Amino acid sequence: MSTGMTGRTEQAPVREVGRARTRKEDARLVTGQTTWTDNMTVPGLLHVAILRSPLAHARIERVDASPALEREGVVAVFTGADLAAGLGSLPCAWQVTEDMILPEHPAVAVDEVRYVGDPVAVVVARDRYAAADALEDVWVDYEPLPPVLDLEAALAEDAPLVHADKGSNRCYTWPLVSGDYETARGQADVVLRRRHHQQRLIPNAMEPRACVVVPVPSTGEYTLYSSTQIPHIVRIMMALTTGIPEQKLRVVAPDVGGGFGSKLQVYGEDAICLALARTLGQPVKWTESRSESYQAQHHGRGQIQDIELAATSDGRLLGMKADILADMGAYLMIITPGTPLLGAFMYPGIYKMDAYDFHCTGVFTTRTPTDAYRGAGRPEATFAIERTMDELAAELGLDPLELRRRNWIRHEEFPFTTVAGLTYDSGDYAAATDRATALFGYADLRAEQRARHANADPVRLGIGVSTYTEMCGLAPSRILGSLRYAAGGWEAASIRVLATGKVEVITGTSPHGQGHVTAWSQIAADVLGVPFEDVEVMHGDTRVAPQGMDTYGSRSLVIGGIAVHEAALKVVAKARKLAAHLLEASEDDLDFADGVFSVRGSPDARKTIQEVAFAAFAAHDLPEGMEPTLNAEHLLDPDNFSYPHGTHLCAVEVDTETGAVAIRSYVCVDDVGRVVNPMIVEGQVHGGVAQGIAQALYEEAVYDDAGNLVSGTMADYLVPAAPDLPDLVTDRTETPATSNPLGVKGVGEAGTIASTPAVVNAIMDALRPLGVRDVRMPCTPERIWRAVREAADSESSRKEDAS
Amino acid sequence: MIPAKFDYARPQSAEEAVRVLADAGPEAKVLAGGQSLLPILRLRLSFPELLVDVGALGALRGVREEGQELAVGALTTHHDMVHDPLVRAHAGLLARAAATIADPAVRHRGTLGGSLAHADPAGDLPAVCLAMDATMVALGPQGYRTIPAAEFFVDYLQTALRPDELLTEIRFPVLDGWGYHYEKFHRTAQAWAVVGVAAAVRRERNGGGIAEARVGLVNMGARPLRAHLTETALAGAEPTRETIGRAATMAAEGAHPPTDLSGSAEYREHLARVLTRRALLAAAGAA
Amino acid sequence: MVSPAKDQAPMPRASVARISVNVDGVDHRDEVEPRLLLVHYLRDTLGRTGTPIGCDTGNCGACTVDLDGATVKSCQVLAVQADGGRVTTIQGLAGPDGAWHPLQTAFHEQHALQCGYCTPGMIMAARDLLRETPDPTPEQVRDALEGNLCRCTGYQNIVRAVLAAAAELRRQGAPEPRGQGVDVPQVSGQEAPA
């Protein structure tokens, strides 16, 4: 095969970390030799289809499944009541406050449905067509209840309740207070208030979800194949939910087609399929359609942010206040309540200030539950601060970059503990900004902008700035504990050195597009001094990789990758011991380079790591007490988060007649520390920026007044295609992280976090001279047109008043 | 999602198709390219008992020149129209609009006849046919009849076709010497038009005034529309930015556009005026 | 002009259909329900799972295959409509010796895929473009891929890969047959005088 992978195998490689290696993952993916969950089939496989509520809120009066049972090919039909005995409530792992309301969450609704898409009944049939047909013949009588859709109205005293037995739609209120904001506010020359709306988004990983459960009834063993980002967490949670003993449950994430947080979830369908396989003693498969996924997969964002900045007249920030209403949806899923709080620490961004006052209130609504979507809380925080900084700059008559310069943490001030209590280990905001403005041609674009304004050009130019940082690498276990999250944030890696000197890396991360197989190979190859091609990376199967915390929160490299690095160092330490024994030298006298141990001063006395591996396997002559293996494992719990940062600049042209926005140029300069594989990093930035632009311009999960998801198909929910997105200019600065030996930071979410405010700031920069104060996301042509028209109307009425 | 069961027939001639349709009654649907029908079937928004697949009727695909008319077979695909030399030479507006439909794979399958018979007012081609004064040719049990485009589109997803009739051909008057432009406003590349404007302008000889202007509006009501007031205002007018701009302000008169996810009625009326001006300026060569 | 004959027997309507389809060079004969989607025929009946399904409205393009020389979205085509046809999927692109198609190589070398779910459809759509337009501009590449959604790459490296594959195909002198570059009509224009 002409795969383009033409690495050498005979000699030790040059340093791998930092090389733009093409990916080992690709060969199967470009030839269609994939193992998506829906590809799987086994003898006796039954197909599951799920009947979902067409109403946002209703009492279930009656479910009649008997007509469906009459249909050809139908094996069984189950209602919520049928399944309730064998299934516990779906889990939420994050009790964010002691008094947080945590409602029961049955996988299939029993008495009441609480969002359009809430499962009501389950059909099992011999093929997927028969299962789909049978849904037409399950009859449900509903008694409608009032929908709960408006976050503010939901908190009113007499509001209808999503969970009547809980007495309130307020799930929790979570504070983070640092310094004395009222004092800061009192000292301020300027207090700027803005409200931002974070629309609901649908993650849209390209692979819809699917699961296959294969039971062995005689032993009570189950294998769950699931398109998940978190096979390890799913295993634990499914054991708890279904009562299947953890040791009898194997979870496999086969090829997984993207996640972006949507597959960081413990979904009811996995539990349903386990329960069905247990009851029926046969393998079952469920695959969702895209339209079904729009209701059944969790959504992201969904917040109202009231932001207040207190500043001096020369633009020095004194304090910040953030009051957040966060839409939980109908139920709390795995980290629903904690997701907005992942942003709580990031509202101050890269800026110094004296006081910070944050409160977040989670609100139940009769909509699909929310949870993590790429960035999870941090895009919302970054949007809030970066959008509001631009507003403050306008208020003070300062260039938005100048306002930022006056407030950001200077390079020499690192490590820096922020007002929110985080210690940023490293960064150089000025360097990234200088690089970005140079690539962007900032001054020229400003000049063109002025000219267009002077000519009253109907197509205006706007420049948007986003100088972001984020916290990722989730997370130090002690911090998660202090935030009341149920689990830790460590990661596991083990390395098996085979008799022939080839290497197997087993990682607890669970990649679904990020290229861990390639990047972990690079890391291991460097430490072990073996060729890149000699390393195989295994993951995503709890039998192969029994320990792990999986992939989300830009954690995989900074925790899982470093764990591989550390495990490899342990292998080298073992090998060194054996090599010293074989060479009859002291360990201290051995050099190790490019996979070869040599005795200092006696260059002929040498053993390759492959020779040492075979010696360990043969075990003929081992040092006293040494076990016959070089294998090692490492569980890494980080001390701190990782803080990538960067400067994104966006230029837009806004057609004020139609409201259409065209991105003219987009420059991103990101600092993600040292880079293992620059090609992969650049790809992460591209995709991340695309999703952030999509939030700014295109996407929204729209509900009508009855609680129906109106943007319910891919024809209505606008995922941008190639012509809808700009060509990106990417570059990097490199300020190594000090929190890990490779100096790496996470990159998976940075682009998404950075880009949304850059785009909206650019639009506002274009429209502010026309009197426009705000445009809600997504900044649709109609919203822009209305904003321009209303600004013109109020301008003309002001003129009339004045005359 | 999976379509509900249906029976299937694959007639080998238009006459046979019509017989099948006549026998089946109103529960039958014609399957041409299927690019509108398949999504509807998969989402289970429609439950036909019988699909009559006209895909074997090769005679209905292709373009002929007949005197002052271009006869385009109903099964001519969007891709065919984009590339067909006759269409490009004599009905460029049709080729241009067809090129904006959905995406290349859909254009390979989707057909002119299918688009028109589906009669989605957000579709690009119905308004183009209306603007070009096309004539629909339908075959029924009693033989062929012709239906002017102005009478063909009856209501939302409804045409003058009877359940036992098959659209076989669309005849376009050759608009040689006309300028044209298709202005489509959509939110993403493959999204339907929020509003579209198909404009064709015939100038007097020697680059003089506007002899005749035609404006078809996409997604401005339950069916495709002509902007008659704008057209009338331009007859005999000079092709200046001012006259065209003034005429375009009347483009939305009498229209009752929908309010939906991609825009409100009010916004659509505004867009119709702006896009009509832009389309006419381009078509008149005055842009 | 013909008019329908009135004395013929009605055509039988069927609830199953016999089809014969060549998929990636192999002939298959099957009896299928008329409603069976081509993509389910490929995946479930034939086990050709290289072509995935990403949506139910024809928007995502993940299931794009070639049917008789032109791309189609195989979830928007019935298996019966492919009767007598030739289908090429991502699994049929490599040469008989297993050598990758230049697009497969370029997608790999340019990092034009991350999760890879859209990749089969993307490559099939790009192949279609390069048959008609062997030397496309970046804008033409973007336009040609308008019906194929990717959530990972932001399309940037996909555009690079298609341009790289186009250059390689031109270098090999073997753009796949279907004529020379054909541009779409201009936005506006003037008809030729009669």
Side-chain angles (χ1 to χ4, degrees):
Chain A
M1 281 218 249
S2 75
T3 64
M5 285 189 280
T6 52
R8 300 155 305 152
T9 50
E10 313 79 31
Q11 59 197 103
V14 298
R15 192 164 174 78
E16 284 292 339
V17 168
R19 279 184 83 176
R21 276 284 190 186
T22 55
R23 299 196 318 170
K24 294 182 172 183
E25 287 89 339
D26 293 350
R28 290 177 310 106
L29 298 168
V30 300
T31 54
Q33 296 164 33
T34 43
T35 54
W36 314 115
T37 301
D38 185 61
N39 292 5
M40 280 179 210
T41 187
V42 287
L45 184 65
L46 299 173
H47 294 261
V48 176
I50 296 175
L51 184 70
R52 297 178 183 276
S53 171
L55 299 174
H57 198 191
R59 202 177 321 287
I60 299 171
E61 299 282 323
R62 191 178 68 101
V63 183
D64 181 7
S66 47
L69 278 169
E70 300 297 309
R71 295 188 72 114
E72 203 176 307
V74 172
V75 173
V77 182
F78 298 90
T79 65
D82 298 334
L83 291 170
L87 285 180
S89 183
L90 295 175
C92 172
W94 208 335
Q95 173 94 30
V96 297
T97 62
E98 202 160 333
D99 61 353
M100 182 189 87
I101 291 175
L102 177 54
E104 281 289 302
H105 184 187
V108 179
V110 180
D111 305 315
E112 200 169 313
V113 288
R114 295 188 172 87
Y115 64 95
V116 171
D118 209 351
V120 177
V122 177
V123 171
V124 187
R126 282 205 300 272
D127 68 70
R128 59 173 108 222
Y129 281 51
D133 290 344
L135 293 182
E136 308 272 355
D137 271 337
V138 180
W139 298 99
V140 186
D141 294 339
Y142 295 101
E143 175 65 31
L145 295 168
V148 180
L149 299 164
D150 183 281
L151 296 186
E152 289 173 298
L155 295 174
E157 197 70 14
D158 55 350
L161 296 176
V162 180
H163 298 276
D165 58 321
K166 300 298 184 189
S168 174
N169 292 322
R170 182 189 301 270
C171 174
Y172 66 86
T173 295
W174 189 92
L176 175 63
V177 176
S178 169
D180 181 353
Y181 178 73
E182 283 311 310
T183 301
R185 189 178 194 284
Q187 293 165 347
D189 303 315
V190 182
V191 176
L192 189 88
R193 262 178 237 103
R194 288 291 185 270
R195 170 168 277 207
H196 304 300
H197 293 264
Q198 296 286 334
Q199 77 271 33
R200 267 181 178 250
L201 299 175
I202 301 178
N204 274 295
M206 288 315 301
E207 182 206 18
R209 268 185 325 113
C211 59
V212 172
V213 176
V214 181
V216 183
S218 60
T219 61
E221 289 170 287
Y222 297 84
T223 302
L224 166 63
Y225 300 89
S226 182
S227 53
T228 180
Q229 299 172 230
I230 53 164
H232 298 92
I233 294 172
V234 165
R235 182 194 195 195
I236 298 162
M237 291 300 176
M238 281 298 130
L240 295 171
T241 303
T242 63
I244 295 169
E246 192 180 348
Q247 80 279 14
K248 298 284 193 187
L249 179 58
R250 172 187 176 200
V251 176
V252 182
D255 283 341
V256 175
F260 316 111
S262 70
K263 294 170 184 171
L264 158 52
Q265 191 51 274
V266 178
Y267 279 109
E269 291 84 2
D270 286 357
I272 290 167
C273 286
L274 282 164
L276 297 177
R278 177 166 59 188
T279 302
L280 300 170
Q282 262 182 277
V284 298
K285 178 198 273 190
W286 171 78
T287 302
E288 70 186 355
S289 73
R290 176 64 58 183
S291 302
E292 184 179 19
S293 89
Y294 276 14
Q295 301 175 357
Q297 285 192 21
H298 72 243
H299 294 176
R301 318 280 191 263
Q303 296 184 8
I304 299 172
Q305 305 166 302
D306 285 314
I307 305 298
E308 199 173 283
L309 285 181
T312 62
S313 56
D314 62 350
R316 194 169 73 79
L317 290 178
L318 300 174
M320 180 179 197
K321 190 171 192 298
D323 285 306
I324 314 301
L325 291 180
D327 185 352
M328 303 283 98
Y331 300 101
L332 301 185
M333 298 193 71
I334 191 76
I335 58 165
T336 299
T339 297
L341 309 184
L342 289 170
F345 302 89
M346 299 315 295
Y347 280 77
I350 63 171
Y351 308 113
K352 295 178 282 191
M353 60 184 80
D354 307 323
Y356 174 48
D357 186 312
F358 173 93
H359 287 81
C360 177
T361 296
V363 183
F364 289 111
T365 61
T366 50
R367 283 190 282 247
T368 292
T370 60
D371 208 302
Y373 168 53
R374 201 168 192 171
R378 291 152 290 149
E380 297 93 312
T382 303
F383 183 89
I385 182 65
E386 290 302 301
R387 265 292 289 124
T388 315
M389 284 297 275
D390 259 36
E391 293 291 307
L392 181 62
E395 181 83 12
L396 297 173
L398 287 172
D399 180 278
L401 282 173
E402 177 55 27
L403 177 67
R404 286 166 169 84
R405 272 189 207 103
R406 291 183 190 182
N407 287 284
W408 70 38
I409 302 157
R410 294 192 311 276
H411 182 52
E412 59 274 19
E413 292 176 302
F414 288 92
F416 185 91
T417 299
T418 71
V419 71
L422 296 173
T423 301
Y424 296 174
D425 63 322
S426 70
D428 192 340
Y429 307 139
T433 302
D434 291 348
R435 180 85 56 93
T437 48
L439 286 168
F440 191 63
Y442 190 78
D444 290 348
L445 283 164
R446 283 282 180 223
E448 181 183 335
Q449 179 182 35
R450 282 190 295 272
R452 288 199 192 208
H453 184 57
N455 300 334
D457 192 327
V459 179
R460 294 300 174 107
L461 186 68
I463 295 170
V465 175
S466 172
T467 51
Y468 78 100
T469 187
E470 60 138 334
M471 57 180 250
C472 64
L474 306 179
S477 297
R478 67 187 159 80
I479 294 181
L480 291 176
S482 71
L483 294 172
R484 308 176 64 97
Y485 179 62
W490 47 264
E491 195 47 83
S494 52
I495 292 183
R496 295 200 288 250
V497 184
L498 306 178
T500 55
K502 310 293 182 188
V503 174
E504 291 175 337
V505 171
I506 296 101
T507 177
T509 64
S510 193
H512 39 282
Q514 296 88 344
H516 297 178
V517 169
T518 301
W520 288 198
S521 295
Q522 290 178 266
I523 291 171
D526 261 3
V527 178
L528 299 173
V530 301
F532 171 77
E533 293 76 12
D534 285 2
V535 183
E536 204 66 38
V537 177
M538 289 175 277
H539 60 80
D541 179 341
T542 59
R543 268 210 191 143
V544 174
Q547 283 178 300
M549 281 293 184
D550 306 317
T551 288
Y552 44 85
S554 306
R555 70 187 304 275
S556 294
L557 174 60
V558 291
I559 311 180
I562 299 299
V564 170
H565 180 263
E566 296 295 315
L569 288 174
K570 287 182 178 175
V571 169
V572 173
K574 284 188 182 181
R576 177 185 295 275
K577 196 183 200 57
L578 179 49
H581 177 76
L582 296 172
L583 293 166
E584 298 178 341
S586 155
E587 281 184 58
D588 297 339
D589 293 337
L590 288 191
D591 286 330
F592 180 63
D594 295 340
V596 178
F597 291 97
S598 55
V599 181
R600 220 165 291 136
S602 316
D604 292 342
R606 44 186 282 146
K607 289 278 177 196
T608 66
I609 194 160
Q610 289 84 359
E611 290 167 334
V612 178
F614 193 83
F617 163 75
H620 297 163
D621 182 15
L622 299 179
E624 186 65 28
M626 184 176 180
E627 294 175 51
T629 177
L630 300 183
N631 295 356
E633 72 175 340
H634 191 88
L635 272 78
L636 185 104
D637 201 334
D639 292 328
N640 194 357
F641 295 98
S642 155
Y643 303 98
H645 72 82
T647 297
H648 286 214
L649 297 172
C650 176
V652 298
E653 292 181 357
V654 183
D655 180 341
T656 56
E657 275 195 313
T658 62
V661 174
I663 295 182
R664 157 103 161 252
S665 61
Y666 195 105
V667 168
C668 10
V669 176
D670 297 286
D671 193 324
V672 297
R674 278 185 59 200
V675 162
V676 174
N677 185 322
M679 191 182 69
I680 289 177
V681 163
E682 194 190 21
Q684 288 292 318
V685 171
H686 292 158
V689 169
Q691 285 184 26
I693 292 172
Q695 174 173 14
L697 296 182
Y698 300 118
E699 298 182 14
E700 180 170 20
V702 180
Y703 283 83
D704 67 14
D705 292 343
N708 297 302
L709 179 62
V710 187
S711 54
T713 74
M714 218 174 219
D716 304 301
Y717 186 95
L718 301 181
V719 175
D724 306 313
L725 291 168
D727 195 51
L728 305 173
V729 176
T730 58
D731 200 355
R732 288 186 289 105
T733 55
E734 201 167 298
T735 314
T738 61
S739 52
N740 65 67
L742 291 183
V744 296
K745 306 175 184 179
V747 68
E749 296 159 300
T752 304
I753 290 167
S755 56
T756 309
V759 176
V760 180
N761 279 340
I763 292 168
M764 286 306 302
D765 187 56
L767 299 181
R768 199 176 282 113
L770 303 175
V772 173
R773 282 178 53 87
D774 196 20
V775 179
R776 265 171 83 155
M777 294 190 292
C779 300
T780 64
E782 176 162 6
R783 283 180 177 161
I784 288 172
W785 169 71
R786 282 187 185 283
V788 169
R789 192 181 60 162
E790 281 158 20
D793 287 352
S794 70
E795 178 71 13
S796 60
S797 70
R798 241 198 330 277
K799 277 185 185 148
E800 276 169 33
D801 289 349
S803 61
Chain B
M1 297 279 278
I2 289 155
K5 278 182 199 269
F6 49 76
D7 286 348
Y8 177 79
R10 191 177 171 84
Q12 298 302 312
S13 69
E15 292 73 20
E16 193 178 35
V18 168
R19 277 200 305 278
V20 175
L21 287 170
D23 289 342
E27 302 310 316
K29 268 197 180 295
V30 175
L31 172 66
Q35 300 304 288
S36 298
L37 184 56
L38 263 292
I40 288 170
L41 296 180
R42 289 186 68 193
L43 296 171
R44 298 202 175 205
L45 301 173
S46 172
F47 296 85
E49 289 176 3
L50 173 68
L51 283 200
V52 181
D53 180 357
V54 295
L57 310 185
L60 300 191
R61 181 172 177 178
V63 183
R64 300 190 315 279
E65 204 173 359
E66 285 191 0
Q68 284 305 297
E69 283 189 329
L70 214 56
V72 182
L75 292 183
T76 307
T77 66
H78 307 320
H79 182 271
D80 292 344
M81 291 188 286
V82 171
H83 297 282
D84 184 273
L86 288 173
V87 174
R88 290 168 66 118
H90 304 301
L93 182 57
L94 182 64
R96 174 57 205 160
T100 71
I101 296 171
D103 60 68
V106 169
R107 295 196 288 272
H108 285 146
R109 297 292 296 178
T111 66
L112 174 61
S115 292
L116 301 180
H118 184 53
D120 190 327
D124 301 284
L125 298 183
V128 169
C129 290
L130 199 61
M132 294 184 74
D133 279 340
T135 301
M136 317 299 173
V137 180
L139 177 65
Q142 315 307 320
Y144 287 96
R145 68 171 178 132
T146 58
I147 311 163
E151 293 166 25
F152 184 78
F153 303 103
V154 175
D155 205 341
Y156 182 70
L157 305 185
Q158 279 182 39
T159 68
L161 284 178
R162 292 188 280 262
D164 57 4
E165 280 184 321
L166 181 69
L167 186 57
T168 57
E169 189 172 273
I170 298 86
R171 295 175 158 268
F172 293 89
V174 166
L175 296 187
D176 287 359
W178 289 60
Y180 62 86
H181 187 86
Y182 186 63
E183 185 80 23
K184 181 174 185 171
F185 190 89
H186 47 170
R187 289 196 50 210
T188 55
Q190 61 169 318
W192 295 80
V194 181
V195 173
V197 176
V201 173
R202 180 166 60 86
R203 300 270 295 269
E204 299 291 0
R205 276 173 216 282
N206 309 322
I210 295 173
E212 189 182 355
R214 310 251 194 91
V215 177
L217 301 175
V218 175
N219 216 2
M220 284 297 291
R223 55 199 175 95
L225 300 176
R226 287 275 286 268
H228 289 295
L229 290 179
T230 300
E231 293 178 358
T232 308
L234 286 174
E238 286 304 309
T240 64
R241 295 189 69 85
E242 292 64 37
T243 46
I244 287 174
R246 208 160 40 243
T249 62
M250 294 179 279
E253 292 295 318
H256 300 283
T259 289
D260 59 26
L261 264 185
S262 50
S264 67
E266 185 191 17
Y267 178 58
R268 284 197 160 93
E269 288 172 10
H270 167 77
L271 274 184
R273 293 188 283 265
V274 173
L275 303 180
T276 296
R277 186 191 76 226
R278 293 180 181 182
L280 282 168
L281 284 171
Chain C
M1 282 264 181
V2 282
S3 58
K6 296 194 170 65
D7 53 358
Q8 288 182 16
M11 189 196 181
R13 47 197 267 182
S15 53
V16 290
R18 290 199 62 80
I19 62 170
S20 139
V21 187
N22 181 290
V23 178
D24 293 332
V26 179
D27 287 324
H28 299 273
R29 281 181 179 70
D30 280 285
E31 200 162 82
V32 299
E33 272 194 281
R35 63 169 169 164
L36 182 68
L37 303 174
L38 176 59
V39 71
H40 283 144
Y41 176 69
L42 295 173
R43 291 176 55 79
D44 295 350
T45 311
L46 303 184
R48 304 292 284 176
T49 52
T51 300
I53 303 172
C55 76
D56 40 23
T57 48
N59 291 87
C60 86
C63 68
T64 303
V65 299
D66 188 287
L67 173 59
D68 295 331
T71 49
V72 300
K73 293 179 170 179
S74 62
C75 79
Q76 303 297 332
V77 176
L78 300 172
V80 287
Q81 291 178 286
D83 182 26
R86 280 187 88 82
V87 175
T88 303
T89 77
I90 189 73
Q91 289 169 275
L93 272 199
D97 56 349
W100 287 1
H101 187 281
L103 275 162
Q104 292 172 307
T105 305
F107 268 60
H108 170 63
E109 290 179 347
Q110 302 293 327
H111 189 35
L113 64 150
Q114 291 179 29
C115 84
Y117 200 78
C118 74
T119 307
M122 228 22 118
I123 287 178
M124 298 308 291
R127 176 174 172 261
D128 195 68
L129 165 74
L130 298 184
R131 281 191 299 217
E132 285 191 352
T133 311
D135 190 7
T137 64
E139 290 67 35
Q140 285 176 314
V141 173
R142 286 183 182 269
D143 286 345
L145 301 178
E146 65 187 329
N148 294 75
L149 299 177
C150 169
R151 199 60 161 170
C152 294
T153 64
Y155 305 99
Q156 183 127 344
N157 288 348
I158 292 176
V159 175
R160 280 184 195 163
V162 175
L163 293 172
E168 174 60 18
L169 281 164
R170 290 196 307 277
R171 195 190 65 76
Q172 292 177 4
E176 301 197 27
R178 203 166 83 188
Q180 292 301 305
V182 182
D183 54 348
V184 296
Q186 292 169 349
V187 171
S188 53
Q190 193 77 27
E191 302 291 7

